[in-house]
Amino acid sequence: MPLIKDAMTLVQEPQQMPVVPLSWFLPSLFAAFNVMLLVFLSGLFFGFPCRWLAQNGEWLFPVITGPLFILTFYSLVSLNFSDPGILHRGSIHEDPMTVHVVSVNRRAFRLQWCPKCCFHRPPRTYHCPWCNICVEDFDHHCKWVNNCIGHRNFRLFMLLVLSLCLYSGALLITCLMFLIRTSHLPFSMDKIMAILVAVPSAGFLVPLVLLLLIQAISVSTAERSCESKCKYHQEYNPFDQGFARNWYLTMCAPLGPKYMSDVICLQRPVGTGWIHEKTQPSPPCPPEHGSPGPHGPQPQSSSTAGKGPLGSGEAAIVLQETNIFHTVQFH
């Protein structure tokens, strides 16, 4: 039997928000309001200042802002209904006392048990208290779209932030150009609508640009917003594989299969062996609003299972009888 020497404290899951009747209604209404706000401001823009510029031969402005609106609207609506990488609930017969350790870049992680979803969460997987689901490569819960940002929709989230930056900048510049071109004309409804569109565009542009810069830095360093709040990777980040590789894994690498079955089997036996490593648990940070981070490499190293207490902490795991233990690997 393995000797597990670990001084661990019991880890409490982030407390779930109290379930009240129609608790989903207000977040969904806020997300729908954001979509309608985009459509409303765009309608004012294309119906007044942009129309005037097009009628006076300035076709460059509608040619640029039109595709940007389509891209922004598509990314916003798609992100509302996208799958962030939901890991569906496991079996009630899963043993919470089983200890799983997975190694990533010479650092061992002890998989945390999720009492709500009834399975051991892989590294960088967290339970969202707002959605009541476990999300693979969880980054944060975005209330603007009422959806989690995770492994499967992080690229769409980056596309939305980038398109919003470009579209807001294009609206602001077009409205300013319209006001300059019509400065000799009397005050009209077109000027009122141009000001009404330019003010929120300027207000959204500054924080969106800052958010885009923060995201770019996070992708480059393979960090995650919830991990930065916890000061997680104190020595080194095992998910960091260099600037170019991090961007490829975040934006271009295949996403892998969806976990659509009722019972998840995250591990499979591949052989026997033993490890003697210093483990580091996944941080029990509550998911909150924050800037999105990148999606680093998926764990591909060995994992061991045994019996032990719940919680997290550093453990020295020594497997003396290797013929009775199985090394398991993530799909």
Side-chain angles (χ1 to χ4, degrees):
M1 296 298 293
L3 300 178
I4 303 181
K5 302 177 181 179
D6 194 1
M8 295 179 297
T9 58
L10 186 63
V11 173
Q12 296 182 353
E13 283 287 321
Q15 294 184 356
Q16 183 181 356
M17 296 180 65
V19 179
V20 295
L22 297 180
S23 60
W24 52 268
F25 180 73
L26 289 181
S28 300
L29 185 63
F30 181 67
F33 169 78
N34 294 326
V35 177
M36 296 305 299
L37 179 63
L38 174 66
V39 175
F40 174 72
L41 292 178
S42 299
L44 295 180
F45 170 77
F46 287 108
F48 292 94
C50 190
R51 173 191 54 81
W52 188 93
L53 291 172
Q55 289 177 349
N56 287 270
E58 301 287 347
W59 286 99
L60 181 62
F61 295 102
V63 167
I64 294 178
T65 54
L68 286 178
F69 166 72
I70 296 175
L71 179 62
T72 305
F73 181 79
Y74 164 78
S75 57
L76 179 60
V77 174
S78 300
L79 191 59
N80 275 272
F81 300 98
S82 62
D83 174 20
I86 301 174
L87 298 181
H88 290 271
R89 299 181 184 275
S91 171
I92 59 175
H93 302 292
E94 290 284 339
D95 187 3
M97 301 299 290
T98 302
V99 176
H100 294 279
V101 178
V102 60
S103 179
V104 181
N105 276 349
R106 302 179 304 279
R107 171 165 289 185
F109 293 84
R110 182 171 182 171
L111 306 190
Q112 300 298 306
W113 172 258
C114 180
K116 298 181 180 68
C117 297
C118 299
F119 72 98
H120 289 85
R121 301 193 301 259
R124 289 192 158 182
T125 297
Y126 298 94
H127 189 92
C128 177
W130 290 277
C131 301
N132 196 27
I133 54 174
C134 277
V135 178
E136 181 185 12
D137 287 343
F138 180 85
D139 186 78
H140 72 283
H141 179 87
C142 181
K143 294 183 179 179
W144 292 91
V145 296
N146 191 31
N147 199 0
C148 293
I149 307 302
H151 173 66
R152 305 196 67 86
N153 64 353
F154 183 79
R155 301 173 185 180
L156 195 58
F157 184 75
M158 290 285 289
L159 176 63
L160 174 61
V161 177
L162 177 61
S163 60
L164 280 173
C165 289
L166 297 176
Y167 187 52
S168 299
L171 290 183
L172 180 60
I173 293 175
T174 303
C175 290
L176 292 178
M177 291 299 299
F178 167 77
L179 293 175
I180 294 174
R181 300 287 175 84
T182 60
S183 58
H184 62 285
L185 299 177
F187 202 72
S188 62
M189 181 62 66
D190 290 344
K191 291 187 177 183
I192 296 176
M193 294 304 170
I195 296 174
L196 188 61
V197 173
V199 171
S201 298
F204 281 114
L205 182 59
V206 175
L208 283 172
V209 171
L210 293 177
L211 182 59
L212 184 62
L213 293 176
I214 293 174
Q215 292 174 9
I217 296 175
S218 300
V219 172
S220 303
T221 57
E223 287 293 342
R224 191 105 42 238
S225 59
C226 56
E227 293 173 350
S228 62
K229 294 177 182 178
C230 290
K231 306 296 182 183
Y232 182 31
H233 303 300
Q234 298 178 357
E235 299 176 3
Y236 69 97
N237 185 359
F239 299 95
D240 187 3
Q241 295 196 2
F243 178 86
R245 181 72 174 171
N246 291 339
W247 276 95
Y248 167 76
L249 292 171
T250 303
M251 307 304 297
C252 304
L255 293 177
K258 291 185 178 181
Y259 299 95
M260 301 304 293
S261 60
D262 293 333
V263 180
I264 327 169
C265 295
L266 294 177
Q267 294 90 17
R268 63 183 175 89
V270 295
T272 61
W274 63 275
I275 63 171
H276 180 192
E277 293 195 60
K278 188 177 182 181
T279 65
Q280 174 170 336
S282 299
C285 295
E288 299 176 355
H289 263 295
S291 59
H295 294 268
Q298 301 298 313
Q300 299 294 337
S301 302
S302 63
S303 169
T304 58
K307 294 289 183 177
L310 288 172
S312 65
E314 295 186 352
I317 300 180
V318 182
L319 304 184
Q320 294 179 337
E321 298 178 21
T322 61
N323 56 337
I324 63 173
F325 300 107
H326 294 280
T327 302
V328 294
Q329 181 178 15
F330 283 96
H331 285 295

